């Protein structure tokens, strides 16, 4: 909604400057998107009248003029405009004037003739007009007056960003009413007196679609001069509101739209056959609209029709064939209320809209129609002449205004400000909300121009707006605050994030809503938790694994030519449980590309299973995990393992299945892991123990075992029978080849032994090593010699 500040101040003129007024409207919910000057800055330009005009003796296109600028003596100015003539009144820039663009006017000579100023066009003043040449002013323009004052150029154009619930702010009347309520300034609306009919001509009006059209008024005006010029003041207000002047009758209906907020239309009476009916369109009907688009009407469309044909689309746009032209002599003015539900969305379906549909679909004051048609009639008679008939009115189903309760105590609780019943009552009165008070409870009746007041919270919002959001104190919270103790048995999740970031991983945050395909591919889940109202078709189910999100981010990075990617995410997944849904947290990671960034000190090698296994072990430290071959729908069948802690599966690690590498265009396979966050964050209480002062003893144990025997099995057997002095057992070599039989492998373990009270001897070490060898002999392990 764009409007002129000067026009608004003719209705209400608070003691605020432009900036303060803009801030007031914005803070009250009518957001001011921008304010711009109606004309660029210039000075020294006055109204002048040309008294003499003769041809320049040395130039065919120049004229030597003498103009009266109200100083008592004529000023000679050389002018080249084609429309300069004796008797015209035009803007004149005197010596010392500064025009837009910092163009300074000085006395000069043009082809040898002295010129003491400049006669101006609208373009030169930054006020473009259709006239080719000088800006021609009315014959009664006061000579010597500043052109800025005469044309009201010291004006600001406000553009409001009106929310859909505040349709009452789409007119000067509504904005002025709001400013008066906010500031207490006097509201001076235009006086609207009924126009007494001078002829008896009428056209009968009938409403068939009574739910869609609540009120319809029509009036015949005969003998108008539709070619009459639109007054300069009206044309100026229209243009400063973003509407171009078309013709006097059309300009008047547009003016009522902007001033009163009531859309109106004028028909050429000669093109109406019989009476007027508001009805639904019939099958096969069509209408050529004013925008020159032909609409094939459907039964859901509301039309204004005569006895033979549709004349207009109700609440949207008039028809071309029944519209008023400059040749029209008799017109039919309409003013109607259409229900928002009947208009909403119809214009968008047709691919066009109008100022009328914009207002009707948000809600027009349903008590305004008679005042609007009387105001329009008076303007038509004053500008175009003619004789008016009586107003014909048909009323159907109008919106019902239900009362809303407002508790004084509730206002204080919601706003945090204790306002008295008197203060609240004053605010309601200023807003035009009729009310009564009983036992500290207001019963409020919403006016016909407010469609957004339905519940108590709506009224509280109104009280807050007028009281002023800036007046509501910003009280700091008052409460005792203390740091909660961090359980020793649980590691902070941020510590895990830092650990992974330190190992070159970058954190991602992905949607919990995922593509159903991801669940089938990466989790083998054909019964995913489906959303009732997904935000997009590819986000229709809840994830049961974090793998899909990581793969999707990887694909995006590959598409952007990233050579090396390390990602991790800590988030919830969603599973079906016995009593509803479970939402465990998971920690997942992905590694893809070379093991190290490109460098001269190491050859390029792709990251593999064991690189990521090292990251998992660092994440679980000091807990030691075991690994067991596993099958998982997301991973390569021979390169996937379950992660075991205390014999319980707590996660999975593996290389992505070649099928999904190809399906998701990943070039080569990433390695991923996914762990239960509860296990990753758990840790045992710290137990202090002395550091031995004595040298440790190391023995190496090389074992020959079948290929089917895993390191995890051997370590588990060691742990079952390890002596107290054995502090650590680590695998340090795997060998297959010459000297080792087919189907066998050699595994070499380092065994560290140490005591806190003495230096170990062979008598202590040998029995411990023998016990370890006996422990793994049950798995077929033999000492390699």
């Amino acid at each position: 909604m764009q409007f002129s500040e000067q026009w608004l101040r003719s209705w209400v003129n608070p003691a605020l400057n432009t900036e303060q007024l803009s801030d007031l409207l914005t803070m009250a919910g009518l957001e001011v998107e921008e304010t711009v000057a109606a004309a660029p800055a210039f000075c020294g330009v006055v109204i002048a009248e040309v008294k003499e005009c003769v041809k320049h003796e040395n130039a065919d296109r120049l004229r030597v003029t003498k103009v009266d600028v109200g100083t008592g003596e004529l000023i000679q100015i050389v002018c080249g405009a084609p429309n300069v003539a004796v008797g015209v009144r035009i803007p004149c820039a005197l010596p010392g004037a500064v025009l837009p663009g910092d163009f300074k006017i000085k006395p000069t000579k043009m082809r040898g003739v002295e010129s003491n100023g400049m006669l101006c066009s609208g373009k030169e003043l930054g006020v473009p007009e259709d006239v080719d040449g000088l800006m021609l002013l009315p014959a009664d323009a006061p000579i010597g007056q500043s052109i800025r004052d005469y044309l009201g150029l010291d004006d600001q154009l406000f553009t409001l960003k009106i929310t859909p619930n505040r349709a009452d702010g789409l007119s000067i009347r509504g904005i002025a009413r709001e400013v008066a309520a906010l500031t207490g300034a006097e509201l001076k609306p235009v006086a609207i007196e009924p126009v007494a009919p001078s002829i008896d001509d009428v056209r009968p009006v009938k409403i068939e679609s009574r739910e869609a059209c609540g009120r319809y008024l029509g009036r015949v005006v005969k003998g108008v001069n539709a070619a009459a010029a639109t007054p300069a003041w009206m044309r100026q207000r229209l243009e400063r509101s973003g509407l171009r002047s078309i013709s006097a009758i059309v300009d008047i209906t547009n003016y009522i739209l902007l001033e009163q907020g009531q859309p109106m239309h004028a028909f050429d009476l000669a093109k109406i056959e019989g009476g007027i009916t508001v009805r639904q369109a019939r099958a096969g009907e069509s209408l050529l609209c004013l925008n020159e688009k032909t609409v094939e009407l459907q039964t859901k469309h509301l039309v204004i029709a005569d006895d033979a044909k549709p004349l207009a689309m109700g609440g949207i746009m008039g028809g071309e064939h029944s519209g008023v032209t400059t040749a029209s002599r008799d017109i039919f003015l309409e003013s109607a209320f259409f229900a928002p539900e009947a208009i909403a969305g119809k214009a968008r379906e047709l691919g066009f809209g109008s100022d009328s549909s914009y207002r009707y679909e948000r809600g027009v004051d349903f008590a305004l129609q008679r005042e609007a048609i009387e105001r329009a009639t008076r303007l038509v008679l004053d500008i175009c002449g003619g004789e008016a008939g009586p107003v014909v009115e048909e009323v159907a189903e109008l919106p019902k205004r239900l009362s809303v309760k407002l508790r004084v105590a509730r206002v204080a609780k919601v706003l945090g400000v204790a306002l008295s019943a008197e203060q609240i009552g004053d605010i309601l009165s200023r807003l035009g909300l009729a009310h009564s008070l009983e036992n500290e409870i207001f019963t409020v009746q919403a006016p016909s121009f407010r469609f957004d007041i339905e519940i108590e919270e709506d009224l509280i919002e109104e009280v807050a707006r007028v009281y002023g959001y800036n007046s509501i104190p910003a009280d700091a919270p008052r409460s005792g605050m203390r740091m909660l103790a961090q359980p020793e048995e649980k590691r902070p999740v941020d510590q895990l994030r830092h650990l992974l970031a330190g190992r070159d991983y970058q954190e991602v945050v992905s949607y919990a809503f995922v593509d159903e395909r991801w669940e089938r591919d990466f989790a083998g889940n054909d019964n995913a938790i489906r959303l009732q109202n997904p935000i997009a078709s590819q986000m229709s189910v809840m994830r049961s694994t974090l793998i899909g999100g990581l793969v999707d981010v990887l694909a995006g990075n590959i598409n952007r030519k990233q050579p090396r990617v390390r990602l991790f995410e800590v988030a919830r997944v969603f599973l079906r449980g016995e009593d509803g849904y479970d939402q465990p947290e998971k920690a997942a990671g992905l590694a893809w590309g070379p093991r190290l960034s490109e460098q001269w000190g190491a050859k390029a090698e792709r990251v593999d299973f064991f690189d990521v296994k090292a990251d998992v072990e660092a994440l679980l430290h000091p807990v030691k995990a075991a690994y067991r071959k596993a099958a998982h729908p997301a991973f390569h069948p021979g390169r996937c393992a379950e992660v075991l802690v205390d014999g319980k599966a707590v996660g999975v690690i593996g290389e992505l299945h070649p099928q999904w590498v190809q399906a998701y265009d990943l070039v080569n396979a990433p390695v991923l892991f996914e762990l239960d966050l509860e296990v990753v964050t758990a840790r045992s209480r710290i137990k202090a123990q002395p550091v031995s002062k004595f040298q440790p003893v190391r023995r190496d144990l090389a074992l020959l075992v079948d290929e089917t025997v895993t390191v995890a099995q051997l370590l588990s057997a060691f742990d079952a029978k390890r002596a107290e002095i054995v502090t650590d057992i680590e695998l340090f070599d795997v060998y297959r080849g010459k000297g080792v039989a087919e189907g066998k492998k050699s595994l070499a373990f380092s065994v560290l032994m140490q005591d806190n009270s003495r230096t170990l001897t062979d008598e202590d070490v040998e029995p411990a090593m023998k016990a370890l060898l006996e422990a793994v002999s049950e798995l077929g392990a033999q000492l390699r010699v």
Side-chain angles (χ1 to χ4, degrees):
M1 170 66 185
Q2 182 177 307
F3 63 91
S4 156
E5 181 182 0
Q6 290 181 355
W7 190 6
L8 175 65
R9 288 187 183 274
S10 68
W11 280 68
V12 59
N13 191 15
L16 303 173
N17 60 30
T18 299
E19 184 177 349
Q20 291 169 330
L21 179 59
S22 173
D23 182 68
L24 176 79
L25 289 171
T26 298
M27 292 304 297
L30 302 180
E31 181 185 349
V32 178
E33 202 164 19
E34 66 173 349
T35 58
V36 296
F42 63 86
C43 62
V45 182
V46 299
I47 298 172
E49 181 180 359
V50 178
K51 294 296 187 180
E52 296 180 19
C53 181
V54 297
K55 184 178 177 299
H56 194 292
E57 58 185 12
N58 296 321
D60 292 338
R61 295 186 179 181
L62 297 180
R63 299 288 185 274
V64 180
T65 67
K66 291 188 177 180
V67 299
D68 179 8
V69 295
T71 59
E73 55 182 81
L74 300 181
I75 297 176
Q76 180 171 291
I77 297 176
V78 177
C79 177
N83 60 343
V84 64
V86 174
V88 297
R89 298 198 178 187
I90 34 74
C92 176
L94 300 175
V98 180
L99 299 185
D102 199 30
F103 183 64
K104 298 176 181 178
I105 303 300
K106 301 176 182 178
T108 186
K109 284 188 176 182
M110 299 183 69
R111 296 289 183 93
V113 177
E114 186 177 339
S115 180
N116 295 299
M118 175 180 174
L119 304 184
C120 301
S121 66
K123 184 177 180 180
E124 289 163 337
L125 299 179
V127 190
E129 281 200 333
D130 295 334
V131 177
D132 182 19
L134 301 177
M135 175 186 282
L136 301 180
L137 303 174
D140 60 353
I143 296 172
Q145 184 179 1
S146 167
I147 194 69
R148 294 194 71 91
D149 294 340
Y150 179 72
L151 296 180
L153 299 181
D154 293 320
D155 193 7
Q156 292 289 323
L157 307 184
F158 280 61
T159 300
L160 299 187
K161 192 174 183 179
I162 302 294
T163 53
N165 65 320
R166 292 302 308 273
D168 60 299
L170 293 171
S171 66
I172 291 295
R173 177 177 182 159
I175 299 168
R177 186 167 48 214
E178 186 79 2
V179 172
L182 294 170
T183 63
E186 181 186 359
L187 181 64
K188 297 175 286 186
V190 174
I192 301 177
E193 298 293 337
V195 176
S198 55
I199 57 175
D200 297 328
D201 295 62
V202 296
R203 287 295 171 99
V205 169
K206 181 173 66 174
I207 300 176
E208 288 185 0
S209 301
R210 303 185 71 80
E211 292 183 358
C213 179
R215 189 194 305 272
Y216 191 93
L217 291 84
R219 184 174 222 165
V220 172
V221 183
K222 305 189 76 172
V224 300
N225 175 17
T230 302
W233 61 267
M234 180 180 288
R235 190 169 61 249
Q236 181 191 86
R237 287 178 173 179
L238 290 173
E239 290 171 353
R240 292 185 184 178
S241 298
L243 298 180
R244 63 184 179 88
S245 176
I246 299 174
S247 66
I249 300 295
V250 176
D251 289 351
I252 289 169
T253 58
N254 285 337
Y255 185 80
I256 298 300
L257 173 83
L258 296 171
E259 181 189 73
Q260 301 293 327
Q262 173 62 50
M264 291 191 65
H265 188 64
F267 298 100
D268 189 327
L269 189 64
K271 299 172 183 176
I272 298 177
E273 302 177 48
I276 297 291
T277 302
V278 184
R279 60 173 173 82
Q280 300 303 128
R282 296 166 184 159
E285 290 184 325
S286 62
L287 180 69
L288 176 62
C289 295
L290 289 172
N291 60 2
E292 299 182 352
K293 289 188 178 181
T294 299
V295 176
E296 299 299 327
L297 297 171
Q298 302 176 32
T299 54
K300 63 182 179 181
H301 294 139
L302 187 69
V303 297
I304 313 301
D306 60 15
D307 293 345
K309 60 188 178 300
L311 302 173
M313 295 190 70
I316 297 178
M317 190 173 290
E320 177 72 25
H321 296 310
S322 61
V324 172
T325 68
T326 54
S328 301
R329 290 293 171 263
D330 303 324
I331 64 173
F332 181 80
L333 290 174
E334 74 159 18
S335 179
F337 169 77
F338 299 111
E341 298 80 11
I343 308 301
K346 301 297 190 300
R348 288 188 292 277
E349 289 177 1
L350 297 171
F352 61 83
S354 65
D355 290 326
S356 296
S357 65
Y358 186 81
R359 285 162 173 77
Y360 274 126
E361 63 187 7
R362 285 161 174 75
V364 170
D365 183 354
F366 58 83
L368 181 60
Q369 288 71 46
R370 181 169 286 273
E371 288 187 15
I373 203 167
E374 296 289 2
R375 172 74 166 145
T377 302
R378 173 50 57 199
L379 290 172
V380 169
L381 297 181
D382 291 346
I383 296 170
C384 304
E387 298 177 299
V391 176
V392 178
E393 180 177 7
E394 175 81 2
V395 178
E397 298 181 20
L398 294 173
K400 294 179 174 58
R401 300 282 85 179
L402 302 177
S403 59
V404 181
K405 301 291 185 182
L406 176 63
R407 296 163 289 175
V408 174
R410 182 65 178 166
V411 174
K413 184 173 182 179
V414 173
L415 300 185
V417 179
L419 298 179
S420 66
E422 290 74 20
Q423 288 175 293
I424 296 173
D426 176 61
I427 290 173
L428 296 176
S429 297
R430 286 156 58 186
L431 289 169
L433 303 175
H435 60 276
S436 59
L437 176 64
E438 185 176 351
N439 298 327
E440 294 292 287
I441 299 176
F442 286 93
T443 301
V444 182
Q445 190 78 24
S448 57
F449 55 83
R450 292 297 296 270
F451 283 76
D452 60 323
I453 296 178
E454 296 179 343
I455 58 177
E456 185 176 29
E457 283 71 15
D458 295 330
L459 292 172
I460 295 173
E461 180 186 8
E462 293 303 296
V463 172
R465 287 193 317 107
V466 178
Y467 179 74
Y469 294 121
N470 290 334
S471 300
I472 298 175
D475 293 332
R478 301 173 188 172
S479 62
M481 300 179 68
R482 61 186 178 86
M483 294 292 290
L484 295 176
Q486 179 68 41
E488 192 175 349
E489 296 83 2
K490 188 176 179 66
R491 280 194 292 181
V493 176
D494 279 347
Q495 192 177 97
L496 304 179
R497 290 189 169 100
H498 287 299
L499 187 151
L500 285 167
R503 299 184 74 87
D504 223 10
Y505 285 77
Q506 297 187 48
E507 185 175 13
V508 299
V509 178
S510 60
Y511 279 106
F513 317 134
V514 299
D515 193 327
E516 190 173 4
R517 176 190 173 193
W518 295 1
E519 282 296 295
R520 290 195 302 268
D521 292 352
F522 302 127
N525 185 4
D526 293 322
N527 187 27
I529 301 171
R530 188 171 298 279
L531 295 168
Q532 290 185 351
N533 186 26
I535 60 177
S537 60
Q538 72 274 18
M539 305 173 77
S540 58
V541 300
M542 302 298 290
R543 66 187 175 196
S544 64
T545 175
L546 302 180
I547 294 173
L550 294 174
V551 170
D552 184 56
V553 176
L554 170 63
N557 278 272
I558 292 175
N559 289 339
R560 287 159 180 80
K561 308 301 181 184
Q562 291 296 321
R564 182 173 182 270
V565 179
R566 299 287 188 280
L567 305 169
F568 81 92
E569 182 170 14
V570 177
R572 291 189 182 278
V573 297
F574 302 85
L575 310 172
R576 295 185 185 276
E578 295 181 1
D579 300 321
Y581 301 107
D582 295 330
Q583 302 179 43
E585 288 185 287
K586 300 277 188 179
L590 175 149
W592 176 89
R595 178 176 291 125
L596 300 171
S597 298
E598 186 175 8
Q599 57 171 293
W600 59 267
K603 64 180 181 178
E605 293 180 329
R606 275 174 44 192
V607 66
D608 62 18
F609 177 94
F610 296 101
D611 294 313
V612 176
K613 178 173 176 283
D615 295 330
V616 170
E617 290 179 343
L619 198 59
L620 293 171
H621 183 78
V623 174
K624 288 188 177 293
Y627 300 88
R628 180 173 63 198
K629 182 179 179 181
H632 190 283
F635 297 126
H636 190 297
R639 300 174 185 176
C640 172
E642 283 183 317
V643 182
L644 306 176
V645 173
D646 296 332
K648 179 182 176 183
V650 298
V652 64
I653 179 174
E655 186 178 290
L656 194 66
H657 198 294
Q659 178 182 358
W660 309 137
V661 174
Q662 182 178 7
Y664 290 87
D665 297 326
L666 302 182
V667 184
N668 48 58
V671 183
L672 301 101
F673 69 86
E674 185 174 54
L675 304 171
D676 294 338
L677 188 65
E678 184 178 1
V679 175
V680 178
T681 56
R683 63 181 176 186
S684 302
R685 285 182 175 272
I686 297 173
K687 294 181 180 178
Q689 59 185 22
V691 177
S692 177
K693 300 177 182 179
F694 301 95
Q695 291 287 336
V697 175
R698 171 172 169 163
R699 292 285 188 272
D700 291 344
L701 195 61
L703 301 175
L704 283 174
V705 296
D706 292 336
E707 284 283 5
T708 57
V709 177
T710 66
V711 172
Q713 290 175 303
L714 295 172
L715 290 174
S716 179
F718 285 148
D719 287 340
K721 293 189 177 182
R722 66 195 292 176
E724 188 176 347
I725 61 173
V726 177
T727 58
D728 194 21
I729 303 176
E730 293 285 349
L731 175 73
F732 70 87
D733 183 53
V734 178
Y735 174 74
R736 298 177 181 86
K738 186 177 180 180
V740 176
E742 185 76 19
K744 297 283 187 176
K745 59 185 175 182
S746 172
L747 303 177
F749 295 89
S750 67
V751 181
L752 292 180
M753 290 169 279
Q754 193 174 30
D755 192 278
N756 291 329
S757 60
R758 60 192 177 87
T759 300
L760 296 177
T761 65
D762 287 344
E763 287 76 11
D764 301 313
V765 171
E766 292 304 328
M769 292 297 294
K770 183 178 180 182
L772 293 177
L773 190 58
E774 290 175 352
V776 296
S777 63
E778 298 177 5
L779 297 173
Q782 297 176 354
L783 191 64
R784 182 183 174 191
V785 293

